[in-house]
Amino acid sequence: MPEALGNKSERHNLPKGVVCDKCNNYFASSVEGPLLSHESFRNLRARYQTPNKKGKMPFWKGDLFGTEFQVGLRLDKKTNTPEIRPERESQHEEIERFRRFNDLTGAPTLLRFSNEFIPPEKAMSRFLAKMAFEAICRRFILGMNYLECLEILHTDHYDSIREYARFGYSYEKWPFHYRQYFPEETLMKHPETSEWVQFGFGYDLLLTKVPETYLVFSIHGHEFAINLGGPKVVGYENWLEENNGISYLVEARGARVIESALSGKLQSYLYNG
């Protein structure tokens, strides 16, 4: 299975000092924050009630059907009831008037929410570049001493992706490969409790025969791949073609996704082995 699979602590399992606080804060505010607050990621987390670092549930962004009024929806944890709020506080009174008018006339107030997952391209590629460099750093650190690791990571080979992750201007764009490989609701067995839980995220490093190194990352079945060596994904596309389009995080690791309708509803399961 992937090197890290649904385990948030794995992403931060690096010796103290490898990533300084100043850099972490910079990436959090300049790369991760804007991306994770984008409608695609925010709505993905809201649909499955995934809290942020502060434990707060995000609002699922939508609109009042037939209007330009945007609203947010989430489940109130205390009352276990839907909580709706305007996206813009300045529209609160207008939305209330609209709802009262519908109540008086008997017209329904319909809410519409999007399931589209289209993250902003540049923010996503910088996020993947940062994650890729962290992954290669973690891989080296686990296999050698600290000084040897630093010597390898500071070679010219990783300058481009490091600078692109930090500044975003070493190349006009750094493409990545994207596909939705399995449904968002796919379940997997928890590695410790063996209970069926929703798949969260997973990642691993793929070395192709070219050779090129790719980070392959999946979140709720949305699968991304980025090349650590340069801004192209032809090598990964060739790997997919040579391997009949399988996932490096699933079939190539001895797992498989199957669908079952035993409960009366079609459900996808990720099996290991």
Side-chain angles (χ1 to χ4, degrees):
M1 293 300 290
E3 181 173 329
L5 181 59
N7 187 342
K8 296 180 180 179
S9 64
E10 290 286 346
R11 287 189 54 200
H12 307 285
N13 191 20
L14 295 173
K16 187 175 182 181
V18 173
V19 182
C20 69
D21 291 341
K22 184 178 180 179
C23 290
N24 270 330
N25 292 335
Y26 166 77
F27 280 114
S29 61
S30 301
V31 179
E32 295 176 351
L35 179 67
L36 297 180
S37 62
H38 183 267
E39 184 174 329
S40 291
F41 272 96
R42 175 184 150 183
N43 284 355
L44 180 66
R45 289 166 47 232
R47 286 199 294 276
Y48 302 111
Q49 293 294 284
T50 305
N52 61 18
K53 291 181 179 180
K54 297 182 180 179
K56 293 184 179 180
M57 297 294 180
F59 281 87
W60 189 359
K61 185 178 179 180
D63 58 56
L64 295 181
F65 187 73
T67 76
E68 296 181 354
F69 298 141
Q70 294 183 330
V71 296
L73 170 69
R74 72 176 180 185
L75 189 67
D76 189 305
K77 291 169 60 177
K78 294 181 178 179
T79 63
N80 202 35
T81 57
E83 178 184 358
I84 300 173
R85 74 170 188 186
E87 282 289 295
R88 300 177 183 174
E89 190 59 34
S90 60
Q91 293 183 339
H92 179 78
E93 289 299 325
E94 294 178 89
I95 291 175
E96 285 303 308
R97 285 198 295 270
F98 177 80
R99 295 175 66 178
R100 286 196 295 268
F101 177 79
N102 281 356
D103 289 342
L104 288 173
T105 59
T109 300
L110 302 178
L111 304 178
R112 179 175 58 181
F113 297 93
S114 173
N115 288 329
E116 285 188 338
F117 187 77
I118 309 176
E121 185 175 347
K122 188 157 191 176
M124 188 71 214
S125 64
R126 289 184 67 193
F127 177 79
L128 291 170
K130 171 185 178 288
M131 184 181 295
F133 194 73
E134 284 183 339
I136 202 76
C137 183
R138 179 176 184 273
R139 178 67 59 86
F140 282 140
I141 284 175
L142 293 179
M144 62 185 65
N145 68 50
Y146 183 67
L147 292 180
E148 289 176 329
C149 171
L150 290 182
E151 184 177 347
I152 291 176
L153 293 175
H154 282 82
T155 59
D156 295 344
H157 182 72
Y158 296 112
D159 282 351
S160 294
I161 196 165
R162 183 193 298 111
E163 291 179 4
Y164 184 78
R166 290 177 63 192
F167 308 115
Y169 57 62
S170 54
Y171 291 89
E172 182 177 348
K173 66 177 182 177
W174 196 295
F176 54 85
H177 185 277
Y178 165 75
R179 61 178 175 171
Q180 184 172 357
Y181 192 68
F182 53 77
E184 292 178 358
E185 295 82 6
T186 297
L187 301 179
M188 59 169 280
K189 282 192 175 182
H190 193 283
E192 296 177 359
T193 66
S194 295
E195 294 181 4
W196 285 105
V197 296
Q198 187 176 7
F199 178 92
F201 73 89
Y203 72 84
D204 208 345
L205 294 168
L206 164 66
L207 180 64
T208 65
K209 65 182 182 181
V210 173
E212 291 176 326
T213 303
Y214 288 86
L215 171 82
V216 185
F217 167 67
S218 177
I219 179 168
H220 291 296
H222 297 277
E223 189 175 272
F224 301 84
I226 190 169
N227 187 349
L228 277 81
K232 56 183 179 179
V233 292
V234 175
Y236 181 70
E237 293 171 344
N238 290 339
W239 184 89
L240 288 176
E241 185 175 352
E242 292 166 2
N243 291 275
N244 299 316
I246 67 171
S247 171
Y248 183 66
L249 300 180
V250 184
E251 290 87 356
R253 315 297 297 200
R256 58 199 171 100
V257 176
I258 66 170
E259 292 184 333
S260 172
L262 294 177
S263 61
K265 177 185 176 182
L266 193 63
Q267 176 65 58
S268 296
Y269 298 89
L270 177 62
Y271 281 93
N272 184 15

